[in-house]
Amino acid sequence: MPGTGPMGRCPVARSAPADAAAARVPLHAAAFAADPHGAYGAMRERFGDLAPVELAEGVPATLVLGYETALRILHDAEHFPTDPRPWQDTVPADSPVLPMMRWYPAARYSTGYDHTRYRQASKAAIDGIDGHAMHTVVEELALRLINSFCQAGSAELVADYARPLVSAVLNEIMGCPPEIGAQVTAGMAARFDTVRAAEGMALLQTALTELIELKQAHPGNDATTRLLTHPHQLNETEVLAQLMSFYGAGGEAQFNLITNTVLLMLTDERFGGGLVSGSLSSRDALDEVLFQDPPMANFCTTYPRSPVLTGVTWLPAHQPVLISLAAANTDPTIVRGDRTGNRSHLAWSVGRHACPARTIAYLIVQDAIDQLLDALPDMELAATPADLVWRPGPFHRALTSLPVTFRPSPPVNIS
């Protein structure tokens, strides 16, 4: 593999990045959340394509910063499987990253027949979503939320718009009552933040178990029912694992993508001016965020079966190797000028574990952004970018809040 280090380094590293305890960069620290791209640049300068990091106190890993190296690892399931079980038994049971990384019977943790079985069931559940009907659902839910704050002249878009909108859309897709959905959202947030993660995981599992029992008793035209009734006959534990994947990728990732994209449009003249004049679309802004600040910044974790030489570095067996989707997408060796219309980013991953819900996710997020822009075209950021706070955690890129102001306007009629 071509992952290379800075010039002048010994051609083969004496130890893997995960073993270089003194050099590890703590991805769980507030400083990393505040300026991840500064950290990626410093790591790239010091270590090359592969950097030693710490995901939580005492939990080492390797972070892949290079685009080409990331592609090769993502396409090499033989040497880089995604099953964490040999690793997770070496981690303290109370580690805050364990709820996010431990094995569950879902496609992204599996290979071979199990992977095929889980992915086919999940894809069938997703493919059953009616995209045309979903457009109407998103529009109606978005307008109801916008109407709740449009006369005030200000809003906080994480709590007032993006999070409740995506949660409501997901509840519609999954056939989930709002009260159960609220517990799922809270539990998933704790899992991603790695703050009170064990409590969040318990809340999440309890809520999803309640949803499964509800749909067993009252099946409907929804993704949960399609999982429960798929010909592969997933058991309840397997269905719960697929639901966790759905809510993780469909919830946290989507509302963070909405707010990150809106932030870009409010602060970058290329998109602010371009969107108003019509020269650039919200889809262009969305893809720029998927390049620069994807909501899942460091993910797609693999665990080498045996020590493997990658570029000039030996990666140890059964230790986590995370793809920095954000760093790989902004790798200086592949970034060339204007990327408008370029969708070669890795935000959806690639290979056998690529996101199967990419099309519907694009639809939901773009519709959510377009409804907001149409209703409040003069929206402005109500804080300086430097004052915005990013949530902690090594995996995601997520704002705690996004305050905006705009000219007060009357509610929009909902037909």
Side-chain angles (χ1 to χ4, degrees):
M1 290 186 183
T4 57
M7 292 181 63
R9 177 169 299 163
C10 176
V12 178
R14 293 179 180 271
S15 62
D19 296 327
R24 292 179 199 138
V25 177
L27 301 190
H28 53 90
F32 174 77
D35 184 20
H37 283 286
Y40 299 142
M43 284 189 277
R44 199 189 308 276
E45 178 69 21
R46 184 176 180 187
F47 302 111
D49 281 0
L50 300 163
V53 297
E54 187 178 64
L55 303 178
E57 193 71 34
V59 181
T62 299
L63 191 67
V64 181
L65 306 170
Y67 183 88
E68 294 296 337
T69 303
L71 277 181
R72 291 172 184 265
I73 289 174
L74 290 171
H75 283 296
D76 187 1
E78 178 62 30
H79 293 97
F80 292 93
T82 57
D83 189 336
R85 281 175 289 187
W87 164 81
Q88 69 189 37
D89 291 338
T90 70
V91 181
D94 61 352
S95 173
V97 296
L98 198 54
M100 191 72 177
M101 297 177 68
R102 71 175 306 131
W103 180 86
Y104 294 98
R108 75 180 181 90
Y109 302 104
S110 305
T111 57
Y113 172 74
D114 287 340
H115 174 268
T116 299
R117 182 167 170 264
Y118 298 142
R119 188 173 177 90
Q120 287 179 349
S122 295
K123 192 172 186 303
I126 294 165
D127 290 347
I129 301 169
D130 184 336
H132 295 291
M134 192 50 53
H135 174 81
T136 302
V137 168
V138 175
E139 179 180 14
E140 181 176 332
L141 290 170
L143 290 177
R144 290 186 186 280
L145 288 167
I146 293 168
N147 283 349
S148 72
F149 57 72
C150 64
Q151 298 179 84
S154 64
E156 195 286 280
L157 293 182
V158 174
D160 295 340
Y161 187 68
R163 188 188 293 269
L165 174 59
V166 170
S167 297
V169 171
L170 265 180
N171 288 341
E172 180 74 19
I173 289 172
M174 308 309 296
C176 181
E179 59 274 15
I180 297 178
Q183 296 177 62
V184 171
T185 299
M188 192 64 72
R191 186 172 176 238
F192 272 79
D193 287 348
T194 66
V195 175
R196 304 179 68 178
E199 294 177 32
M201 191 65 201
L203 179 63
L204 177 62
Q205 290 180 315
T206 298
L208 292 180
T209 298
E210 188 175 346
L211 173 60
I212 290 169
E213 292 173 349
L214 175 66
K215 301 317 294 185
Q216 286 172 328
H218 304 284
N221 182 19
D222 53 68
T224 306
T225 299
R226 288 191 287 273
L227 282 173
L228 286 165
T229 58
H230 191 270
H232 286 331
Q233 297 183 324
L234 274 59
N235 63 36
E236 290 184 22
T237 301
E238 292 171 326
V239 171
L240 189 148
Q242 314 320 306
L243 291 177
M244 282 199 300
S245 293
F246 283 9
Y247 273 102
E252 280 282 329
Q254 285 193 93
F255 68 69
N256 291 330
L257 182 54
I258 291 170
T259 52
N260 292 1
T261 303
V262 172
L263 175 61
L264 174 69
M265 292 188 288
L266 294 177
T267 56
D268 191 319
E269 292 183 357
R270 293 175 303 146
F271 293 96
L275 283 165
V276 172
S277 67
S279 61
L280 287 174
S281 69
S282 56
R283 178 65 176 265
D284 293 320
L286 196 160
D287 277 308
E288 174 68 15
V289 168
L290 289 171
F291 262 110
Q292 186 75 17
D293 269 323
M296 296 305 298
N298 305 301
F299 209 55
C300 304
T301 312
T302 64
Y303 305 82
R305 295 184 190 278
S306 58
V308 57
L309 181 63
T310 304
V312 299
T313 302
W314 280 102
L315 298 177
H318 309 310
Q319 290 297 306
V321 176
L322 279 75
I323 305 298
S324 180
L325 305 169
N329 287 342
T330 53
D331 183 346
T333 66
I334 60 111
V335 174
R336 295 288 186 274
D338 183 14
R339 292 183 296 201
T340 303
N342 185 337
R343 299 191 174 111
S344 63
H345 53 73
L346 302 179
W348 306 106
S349 190
V350 296
R352 68 180 64 189
H353 293 288
C355 177
R358 175 176 179 168
T359 299
I360 193 69
Y362 262 127
L363 183 154
I364 293 169
V365 172
Q366 187 171 348
D367 277 354
I369 294 169
D370 287 345
Q371 292 297 327
L372 187 65
L373 291 173
D374 288 346
L376 306 171
D378 62 340
M379 190 167 49
E380 295 182 352
L381 187 63
T384 66
D387 289 333
L388 298 176
V389 178
W390 297 87
R391 287 164 54 191
F395 308 110
H396 59 182
R397 181 68 168 156
L399 285 163
T400 60
S401 65
L402 184 61
V404 296
T405 58
F406 44 85
R407 185 173 60 253
S409 61
V412 179
N413 290 327
I414 302 174
S415 57

